[in-house]
Amino acid sequence: LNNTTLMIKNIFFDIGNVLILIHPDRCIQYWADSTDLPLDIIKNAFPLEAHYTYEKGELTEHEFFLVFRDALPQPCCLKESDFWRGWQKLLGDETAVSGLMKSLSPQYNIWLLSNTNPQHIKDEIDLRYNFPEHIDGAIYSFEAASRKPDTAIYDYALKESGAVASESVFIDDLLPNIKVANSLGWKGIHYQNIEKLTTDLLALGITVKEMEALA
């Protein structure tokens, strides 16, 4: 083992498309069915900037709904309850990475580092999935008032977790988020599939034991 392999103490995981499959198409379909509007109208109206603002905790749930509703052709009949019902359809099944995380949790500090929103955490993550049982803590954009790839959320993550960048690995499916982590002294792994992730961890001296099957 060289020195770098001995230094890793903390592993931070992104949630979307790493630990959970994400299905924006299901949300859009639900909203289209609720409003009788074509899919592409819904898709093009989705207010990305407002979504980012919501993820940073700067908009309330109700304010976020209003921005989306107002972006649709008017008059619009989308009810707030239907908006949130559609929103819940974003999160799909847990992935095999959850089992990998479980096998790593006895040896490493395991943290989540995710651009997310209170609604998904309260209503979904904590209730539907196994992986929160294997973490030491979570860094959520809406609590950090910052979202990846802003450098502030990485600084916040180190502060909250008590981790040091050079002793930390960050796993994310989006390359820009990994590039920033690398530039700040973290070891970044661009997640593509479970096999490559296992190989990339091994290259850092992190041995993945027999993976636990998903419960």
Side-chain angles (χ1 to χ4, degrees), residues 183-209:
S183 75
L184 297 171
W186 301 53
K187 308 272 185 287
I189 293 178
H190 180 214
Y191 177 75
Q192 289 155 53
N193 56 59
I194 189 95
E195 294 76 22
K196 187 169 185 314
L197 175 58
T198 307
T199 309
D200 290 343
L201 287 168
L202 204 55
L204 293 172
I206 298 168
T207 311
V208 180
K209 293 203 190 80

Side-chain angles (χ1 to χ4, degrees), residues 109-128:
N109 301 316
I110 304 288
W111 284 73
L112 304 175
L113 176 48
S114 175
N115 290 346
T116 186
N117 59 84
Q119 200 78 18
H120 278 151
I121 300 305
K122 277 198 314 247
D123 295 351
E124 305 281 318
I125 303 288
D126 293 341
L127 302 177
R128 274 175 61 187

Side-chain angles (χ1 to χ4, degrees), residues 53-72:
T53 307
Y54 175 49
E55 284 192 329
K56 288 194 278 190
E58 292 167 10
L59 284 182
T60 65
E61 257 106 46
H62 184 61
E63 286 167 338
F64 179 46
F65 159 69
L66 291 178
V67 175
F68 179 57
R69 190 195 64 187
D70 294 349
L72 294 170

